[in-house]
Amino acid sequence: MARAAGVSEATVSRALRRLPHVAPATAQRIEAAAAALGFTPSDSAAALATGRTRLVSVVVPSVVSWFYGSVLEGVDATLRAAGFSAALIDLAQADGVRRRLTARELRSARPIGHVVVGFELDAAEQALLREASAPIVTVGARIEGVPGIGIPEERAAEMVVEHLAALGHRRIGHVGADREEGMNPAVGAARRAAWAAAVARLGLESRPEWFGSGAFRIEASRDAALAMLGAADRPTAVFAASDISAFGVLLAAQALGLRVPEDVSVAGIDDHPFAAAHDLTTVRQSPREQGERAALVLLRGLGVGRGAVPAATPLELVQRASTAPPA
Amino acid sequence: MARAAGVSEATVSRALRRLPHVAPATAQRIEAAAAALGFTPSDSAAALATGRTRLVSVVVPSVVSWFYGSVLEGVDATLRAAGFSAALIDLAQADGVRRRLTARELRSARPIGHVVVGFELDAAEQALLREASAPIVTVGARIEGVPGIGIPEERAAEMVVEHLAALGHRRIGHVGADREEGMNPAVGAARRAAWAAAVARLGLESRPEWFGSGAFRIEASRDAALAMLGAADRPTAVFAASDISAFGVLLAAQALGLRVPEDVSVAGIDDHPFAAAHDLTTVRQSPREQGERAALVLLRGLGVGRGAVPAATPLELVQRASTAPPA
DNA sequence: TTGAAAGCGCTAACAC
DNA sequence: GTGTTAGCGCTTTCAA
């Protein structure tokens, strides 16, 4: 390659990395030769020579989920644009239970940073992440002393309850989640607490039966809603902890012959790709954007890029036909 | 590290890779030292020394989709179990349009194999994949001269139509897909052709208006079904080209006040995670398993693993409450 | 069964 | 602005 362009290896290296101190004409000649020969420098060799890779590990509970998949996509796209790559560490197993992070998969690739998505990692796993003192950023999760990207969970829940209350609802149930396998349990807990707090603050009616646990899954949410909405003194509105939970609530309403929104209003959080088709009122969060921001924060931590990371897009209530004043 | 175990680098290398000709006692001592020091060999250095990485590129149109995400998860898990890693190449962009595969991202990592998922790649992209003469396997796509994993599309569609016909339906509509961005257009075309063929073969009624294009998306499918089911001489059953299409059809039925299955039967293909909650009859395919099998085929092509790749799980009709005899 | 030595394809420091 | 040199951390002969 160096011979083909009639220069030394070092000059090729400089030209291809667009370092200064290369004559424009030389650079052009080298680029042309590289294109002609189909030459692309080896990441492995570069990593060995520099002592650092351009890899960022992205640890996810699973990739089969709108939320996690979108975060991954945002992280990946942003890293790639900056000349880095995502090394996917997917902890999902065939049986749905998450496996533990292993030392080998984390260390052998020598990632220079880590993005941890939607997780509860145990102490040993956190220690593994920290051992190389590479920067870490979380998305939808919290690790002590580590920057985290995410939405204000309490505020999102509050917005839904306030919206329903503003429509005139005084009996607002919640189909939430105590915990979901692999997922950060704080999310469900925060949304539930915010619901309870808002109900109290707004002086709304409250019944223990107006909470049901749906584990962020459609079937469990449907079942929880069947119980809640099948009872005599049912709520007139349901705040679902996520859009997927809300889809379960809609199924329950349908099964019970309740019209939405005439008999019961339903609202969620996410703005899932199916939400618009279901006419579901929801508070939009953008996981892709959260992934992008996480990658930017991480890149800043690596000294790449300048300026502040763009602020989060504000949470937005997307009003659709699933909510209306009570009959 | 070598010093810590009191042996040479070469012996450490042999021991950690479990090569023959290492005394058991020596191997144990080395393993212990590695564990104590937290030593994991560098992939980059190993790749440079051997001339080959242990990376397989996985090219996907997007990762935010049950199907693609599941395939990726299957590929990743299988590769990891064999000591290889997936290098994700996600061609999705923020605007939803897929970007082209670039030479740089494909070459710099020096993958030793490629898995291409659900794609239509143009000639230049295919040439890029082939240039290093690394083995290639596709999933849910076809590339000339390359082994491909996937379900028999025609058979899956046929099974749905036959099921509906067996229930007594003679007016079976189809909400299908002409093409979806980034996706292999052959899938929608094959399912549609199989529907038309089965309708003809079984001597069922046929109307041009009983086909609608839903692009495998829930809203477009809903709209197509609204037109089809809103007409006076509507079909008594709808074969949706995928479960997501079927969810759209269910929404349309609901909007039109049609009961499922009393007024109209609905069936899809996939067994999407939401299908059971919707009581949707469907033909199950397992994208995760397809991913696993693709990885196994690829590993065989690399000379790793022995024996034949397990046969595909047969397509299975999952009968649920969304289909019943016509009224 | 183990060690010594060369070299994989780059980058970095230094000279020119 | 460009070339020379050494060396990154492994693996792989080849000898011992």
Side-chain angles (χ1 to χ4, degrees):
Chain A
M1 166 67 211
R3 268 202 313 281
V7 292
S8 72
E9 286 180 48
T11 304
V12 170
S13 175
R14 284 187 282 250
L16 260 25
R17 286 182 300 153
R18 302 197 151 72
L19 296 184
H21 309 307
V22 178
T26 315
Q28 266 184 7
R29 194 150 33 90
I30 292 173
E31 300 269 16
L37 293 168
F39 173 81
T40 307
S42 152
D43 285 346
S44 305
L48 193 56
T50 58
R52 45 197 355 246
T53 63
R54 296 179 73 79
L55 287 174
V56 171
S57 77
V58 185
V59 185
V60 296
S62 168
V63 105
V64 187
S65 119
W66 167 71
F67 188 88
Y68 301 139
S70 299
V71 171
L72 171 61
E73 205 151 277
V75 171
D76 178 71
T78 304
L79 289 176
R80 186 168 13 78
F84 293 78
S85 312
L88 177 63
I89 301 188
D90 181 352
L91 264 31
Q93 292 178 130
D95 59 14
V97 178
R98 90 156 171 92
R99 64 186 176 82
R100 305 197 60 231
L101 190 56
T102 67
R104 198 186 154 77
E105 73 191 323
L106 203 57
R107 300 203 277 230
S108 68
R110 304 280 193 272
I112 55 171
H114 309 285
V115 177
V116 178
V117 185
F119 248 117
E120 187 185 20
L121 292 175
D122 65 33
E125 291 172 317
Q126 292 191 23
L128 226 42
L129 279 175
R130 291 181 203 265
E131 70 180 6
S133 66
I136 306 173
V137 178
T138 65
V139 181
R142 286 294 309 156
I143 294 182
E144 175 79 22
V146 163
I149 302 293
I151 59 169
E153 298 294 349
E154 286 79 5
R155 181 60 199 140
E158 208 174 57
M159 283 172 70
V160 177
V161 178
E162 284 172 358
H163 163 67
L164 294 169
L167 287 171
H169 292 277
R170 299 192 47 78
R171 305 159 63 88
I172 302 177
H174 178 47
V175 170
D178 285 332
R179 64 177 297 117
E180 183 196 29
E181 175 61 40
M183 187 161 166
N184 180 1
V187 173
R191 293 181 188 178
R192 178 181 183 174
W195 161 74
V199 163
R201 180 166 50 76
L202 298 169
L204 307 178
E205 291 185 46
S206 173
R207 298 249 197 306
E209 315 86 68
W210 293 352
F211 171 81
S213 182
F216 288 123
R217 290 187 293 102
I218 190 168
E219 279 149 307
S221 299
R222 181 196 57 189
D223 295 344
L226 279 172
M228 189 187 302
L229 297 176
D233 70 335
R234 57 179 172 78
T236 61
V238 176
F239 157 43
S242 74
D243 284 357
I244 290 184
S245 314
F247 300 147
V249 177
L250 292 176
L251 288 172
Q254 194 180 358
L256 293 168
L258 296 173
R259 292 161 305 164
V260 175
E262 293 84 353
D263 301 318
V264 61
S265 284
V266 179
I269 292 178
D270 274 345
D271 203 24
H272 184 282
F274 293 180
H278 284 85
D279 279 330
L280 180 69
T281 293
T282 191
V283 168
R284 175 179 299 152
Q285 72 167 321
S286 166
R288 188 187 217 276
E289 184 197 304
Q290 292 177 49
E292 291 167 356
R293 296 179 58 237
L296 289 175
V297 169
L298 197 85
L299 290 170
R300 294 294 178 280
L302 292 168
V304 178
R306 56 283 78 107
V309 172
T313 303
L315 290 176
E316 183 190 356
L317 177 73
V318 184
Q319 279 189 252
R320 299 202 180 96
S322 69
T323 52
Chain B
M1 167 66 211
R3 269 202 314 281
V7 292
S8 70
E9 287 179 47
T11 303
V12 170
S13 174
R14 284 187 280 250
L16 261 25
R17 286 181 300 153
R18 303 196 152 71
L19 295 184
H21 309 305
V22 178
T26 316
Q28 265 185 7
R29 193 151 33 89
I30 292 172
E31 300 269 16
L37 294 168
F39 173 81
T40 306
S42 154
D43 286 346
S44 304
L48 193 55
T50 58
R52 47 198 351 248
T53 63
R54 296 180 72 81
L55 287 176
V56 171
S57 76
V58 185
V59 185
V60 296
S62 169
V63 105
V64 187
S65 119
W66 167 71
F67 188 89
Y68 301 139
S70 299
V71 171
L72 171 60
E73 207 150 274
V75 171
D76 178 70
T78 303
L79 289 176
R80 186 167 17 77
F84 292 78
S85 310
L88 177 63
I89 302 188
D90 181 352
L91 264 29
Q93 292 179 132
D95 59 14
V97 178
R98 92 155 170 91
R99 63 186 177 81
R100 303 198 61 231
L101 190 56
T102 66
R104 199 188 152 76
E105 72 190 325
L106 203 58
R107 299 202 277 229
S108 67
R110 304 281 194 271
I112 55 172
H114 309 286
V115 178
V116 178
V117 185
F119 248 116
E120 187 185 20
L121 292 175
D122 65 31
E125 291 173 316
Q126 292 191 24
L128 226 41
L129 279 175
R130 291 181 204 262
E131 70 181 4
S133 66
I136 307 175
V137 178
T138 65
V139 181
R142 286 294 308 157
I143 295 182
E144 175 78 20
V146 162
I149 301 294
I151 59 168
E153 299 294 349
E154 286 78 5
R155 181 61 199 140
E158 209 174 56
M159 284 172 71
V160 178
V161 177
E162 285 173 357
H163 163 67
L164 295 169
L167 288 172
H169 291 277
R170 299 192 47 78
R171 305 159 64 88
I172 302 177
H174 178 47
V175 170
D178 285 333
R179 63 177 299 116
E180 185 197 28
E181 176 61 42
M183 188 162 166
N184 181 1
V187 173
R191 294 181 187 177
R192 178 180 183 175
W195 160 74
V199 163
R201 180 166 50 78
L202 298 169
L204 307 178
E205 292 185 44
S206 172
R207 299 245 199 307
E209 315 86 69
W210 292 352
F211 170 82
S213 182
F216 288 122
R217 290 186 294 102
I218 190 168
E219 279 149 307
S221 299
R222 180 195 58 190
D223 295 345
L226 279 172
M228 190 187 301
L229 298 175
D233 69 336
R234 56 178 173 79
T236 61
V238 176
F239 158 43
S242 74
D243 284 358
I244 291 183
S245 314
F247 300 147
V249 176
L250 293 175
L251 288 171
Q254 193 180 358
L256 293 168
L258 296 174
R259 292 162 306 162
V260 175
E262 292 83 353
D263 300 320
V264 61
S265 284
V266 179
I269 291 178
D270 272 346
D271 203 23
H272 183 282
F274 293 0
H278 283 86
D279 279 329
L280 180 69
T281 293
T282 190
V283 169
R284 176 180 298 151
Q285 72 166 320
S286 167
R288 187 185 218 276
E289 185 198 303
Q290 292 177 48
E292 292 168 355
R293 296 178 59 236
L296 288 175
V297 169
L298 196 85
L299 290 170
R300 295 294 178 279
L302 291 168
V304 178
R306 56 284 78 105
V309 171
T313 302
L315 291 176
E316 183 189 357
L317 178 72
V318 183
Q319 278 189 251
R320 299 201 182 97
S322 70
T323 51

